Amino acid sequence: MANPGSLLRSRSLRKTQVRTSILQLMMENKIAMSERELEKLLNNQCDRVTIYRTLHTFLEKGLVHKVLDGQGSTKYALCHHDCSAEGEHHHDHVHFRCTHCEETTCLEHVSIPHVNLPQGYQAAEVNLLFEGLCPKCRQ
Amino acid sequence: MANPGSLLRSRSLRKTQVRTSILQLMMENKIAMSERELEKLLNNQCDRVTIYRTLHTFLEKGLVHKVLDGQGSTKYALCHHDCSAEGEHHHDHVHFRCTHCEETTCLEHVSIPHVNLPQGYQAAEVNLLFEGLCPKCRQ
DNA sequence: GTTTATGCAAATTCTTTGCAATACT
DNA sequence: AGTATTGCAAAGAATTTGCATAAAC
């Protein structure tokens, strides 16, 4: 189940060069990536617009999620474990942005504790972002 | 202490028309606002660039904080209580974005519970974002 | 053979920079 | 008067849209 082809098939998406490469990259590098970073990693062989559209498609199908790290461009990362397309999607995301190396990592094994919201608020999704120094940059 | 003038004075910022208006708006509407929204609320009487620069200045001086709500443009909101300029700034922010009315509200009275990060991570700042329906839109 | 994805050109939106004019203390 | 802020013009990113071509099923 952990290869680009089967992931694409599981969402009824056509298996193309670009989609396969992007999934591959996201599976290797476990950090959140922006369109620009992907473009570079793909050696500019692939059109910018295609990458944007691919990311949108993946988002729609629940293969990736947006990562909010407060920097210029939007980043995306693979969804793990229980993710599935719209509806039963796993809606808790925890990320750590290193202010030194600027990398944003998904902290898969950290779970968000329950928080009591004020009366009337109904949350469907939760994002938790830490900022500081990652193990590599802390030395 | 809760008026634009004294806030500006407390950070050694000159009291200008634009700064006063923006602070006023942020104090009235307790939601996070983008440059564009401020521009509209100010009836386009004020240059876009000035608003951007004002927000940067406020951010630097610890009067506002960035709000990550995963939408197009960056939003900002007033800092409350113990905020002060760089260094002792209050670094926990909790927000709720309503997917219906698109408003992002600061949940001032919700505090982020302690979370154990994996070995080696050192967090200086935490952001928690909920997305779902706000009391108004839930009916 | 259809349907869907890609590439290219170009438009939009968001944000930043430089410089001269203006407002603040 | 002197310094910080504003407005305008313009540049630079990030992101989207339309349409013809190419690839997938």
Side-chain angles (χ1 to χ4, degrees), chain B residues 6-24:
Chain B
S6 57
L7 269 177
L8 290 170
R9 224 172 300 124
S10 74
R11 309 301 154 103
S12 321
L13 289 173
R14 292 190 177 179
K15 182 182 172 185
T16 68
Q17 187 58 62
V18 178
R19 289 177 177 169
T20 305
S21 307
I22 291 182
L23 281 180
Q24 201 98 54

Side-chain angles (χ1 to χ4, degrees), chain A residues 62-91:
Chain A
L63 286 175
V64 302
H65 58 270
K66 272 196 191 185
V67 176
L68 312 176
D69 78 349
Q71 295 318 104
S73 50
T74 309
K75 293 180 178 172
Y76 297 84
L78 271 191
C79 289
H80 306 285
H81 29 71
D82 320 311
C83 280
S84 61
E86 288 304 280
E88 318 149 56
H89 202 93
H90 183 251
H91 284 306

Side-chain angles (χ1 to χ4, degrees), chain A residues 20-110:
Chain A
T20 306
S21 307
I22 291 182
L23 282 180
Q24 201 98 53
L25 283 172
M26 290 186 140
M27 287 163 78
E28 286 164 12
N29 309 283
K30 283 233 167 181
I31 58 170
M33 289 184 280
S34 63
E35 176 282 324
R36 180 177 268 260
E37 289 171 294
L38 286 167
E39 204 179 334
K40 271 186 199 152
L41 289 168
L42 295 169
N43 295 306
N44 307 299
Q45 309 281 275
C46 168
D47 194 78
R48 186 175 304 154
V49 177
T50 303
I51 299 178
Y52 276 115
R53 283 197 273 230
T54 302
L55 290 170
H56 287 169
T57 304
F58 285 179
L59 190 64
E60 218 169 43
K61 297 289 185 174
L63 286 175
V64 302
H65 58 270
K66 272 196 191 185
V67 176
L68 312 176
D69 78 349
Q71 295 318 104
S73 50
T74 309
K75 293 180 178 172
Y76 297 84
L78 271 191
C79 289
H80 306 285
H81 29 71
D82 320 311
C83 280
S84 61
E86 288 304 280
E88 318 149 56
H89 202 93
H90 183 251
H91 284 306
D92 281 16
H93 298 297
V94 185
H95 299 103
F96 190 99
R97 185 177 90 87
C98 178
T99 50
H100 186 251
C101 68
E102 303 275 286
E103 283 190 356
T104 301
T105 320
C106 302
L107 300 181
E108 298 176 42
H109 301 304
V110 175

